[in-house]
Amino acid sequence: MVLAQLGGSITRALQQMSNATVIDEEVLNDCLIEISRALLQSDVQFNLVQDMQTNIKNIVNLEDLAAGHDKRKIIEQAVFNELCKMLDPGKSSFVPKKGETSVVMFVGLQGSGKTTTCTKYARYYQEKGWKPALVCADTFRAAAFDQLMQNATNAEIPFYGSYMEADPVKIAVEGVESFKEENRDLIIVDTSGRHKQEAALFEEMRQVSEATKPDLVIFVMDSSIGQAAFDQAQAFKFLYGFQGVDL
């Protein structure tokens, strides 16, 4: 719903510009103000919006455009490129290799849907021919293993966990090693949800990572927390260095 509203607001701003008889600095500024207002109302960080405005004005220099150039198209393309740049991580996404073992570890906040996302991730690659497996290294949340076991069973994906063992590092190592012996080429490790202020849980997460040596770490968070996501992501990245984000 939010993305649809944002897309509609940006489209209307560009349409209003297209209705102008002459495309000058005032028309460009009005268009950018409307787009910026829509982004800010959608809880996009102010610095990102400000950078977008500056970059578009640097790209679209109306005074230097020769006669005959379609200024509307140039502005629309600049807006499109800058919006895409906001979402571009600057590098290609990780793709596991069939026949080679890849370990992917999921981290994130409590209640962000991390365990469900783990199963969806496994199912996605299973349908493409990979042999995934799930490891429950979440010993903090009650019924975490039950949830992962139920999800994995429904998706017909093998899983590993324990009701008795309280050490998440031991569970993670045993699960990963067990599935490596079974020649599983995508081993997904689910960890305890945590908050940026929970130092002990961050230390636990670091130990699990060092023990399993994941090829990819994915940070899961609920997009509805808005700009608070930035602080949480910064804390996780500073302490952990994840390579992917799922909202």
Side-chain angles (χ1 to χ4, degrees):
M1 179 65 72
V2 174
L3 287 177
Q5 292 176 346
L6 175 59
S9 297
I10 293 174
T11 299
R12 285 191 294 273
L14 293 173
Q15 287 175 342
Q16 289 175 3
M17 175 196 66
S18 298
N19 293 333
T21 304
V22 178
I23 304 299
D24 54 17
E25 289 292 335
E26 182 178 355
V27 171
L28 173 59
N29 288 334
D30 288 343
C31 179
L32 293 180
I33 288 172
E34 287 301 315
I35 293 174
S36 298
R37 181 180 292 115
L39 291 170
L40 292 172
Q41 288 176 344
S42 298
D43 216 10
V44 177
Q45 191 184 43
F46 175 78
N47 289 341
L48 291 176
V49 177
Q50 191 175 45
D51 288 344
M52 180 206 69
Q53 277 192 334
T54 301
N55 292 339
I56 292 175
K57 287 184 177 181
N58 288 336
I59 294 169
V60 183
N61 192 328
L62 296 177
E63 293 182 357
D64 291 344
L65 289 177
H69 280 86
D70 191 334
K71 297 178 180 179
R72 294 179 179 84
K73 289 292 184 183
I74 293 173
I75 294 172
E76 289 176 359
Q77 188 62 50
V79 170
F80 175 80
N81 290 341
E82 288 302 313
L83 290 174
C84 289
K85 189 185 297 184
M86 284 186 180
L87 303 174
D88 184 4
K91 58 181 180 181
S92 57
S93 59
F94 171 83
V95 177
K97 297 181 180 179
K98 291 182 180 178
E100 297 182 13
T101 301
S102 296
V103 177
V104 177
M105 183 172 167
F106 279 73
V107 301
L109 305 177
Q110 297 171 345
S112 61
K114 182 164 42 57
T115 300
T116 301
T117 303
C118 285
T119 310
K120 290 180 178 179
Y121 186 85
R123 183 64 173 168
Y124 172 83
Y125 279 104
Q126 182 187 55
E127 292 177 346
K128 292 182 176 296
W130 271 263
K131 296 185 294 182
L134 291 160
V135 178
C136 180
D138 182 355
T139 59
F140 181 77
R141 179 171 64 88
F145 180 40
D146 286 329
Q147 181 187 358
L148 183 135
M149 178 170 56
Q150 182 179 11
N151 290 348
T153 301
N154 291 338
E156 299 182 342
I157 297 170
F159 59 91
Y160 185 92
S162 173
Y163 287 115
M164 306 302 295
E165 180 57 59
D167 184 357
V169 178
K170 184 176 181 180
I171 293 175
V173 170
E174 289 178 351
V176 169
E177 291 303 318
S178 173
F179 286 129
K180 282 183 177 180
E181 292 176 1
E182 295 179 12
N183 295 319
R184 291 282 159 180
D185 51 15
L186 180 58
I187 304 172
I188 300 164
V189 181
D190 186 18
T191 62
S192 302
R194 61 212 70 217
H195 186 273
K196 69 173 185 175
Q197 296 174 341
E198 294 173 317
L201 286 175
F202 269 108
E203 175 59 22
E204 172 191 294
M205 185 172 60
R206 185 189 63 78
Q207 292 175 4
V208 172
S209 175
E210 289 185 353
T212 59
K213 296 179 173 55
D215 299 281
L216 174 69
V217 179
I218 298 178
F219 174 51
V220 182
M221 60 181 167
D222 186 347
S223 61
S224 66
I225 67 176
Q227 293 194 33
F230 179 79
D231 293 334
Q232 294 290 346
Q234 284 286 83
F236 272 80
K237 187 168 182 61
F238 176 74
L239 293 172
Y240 203 74
F242 58 83
Q243 296 92 14
V245 175
D246 181 88
L247 298 173

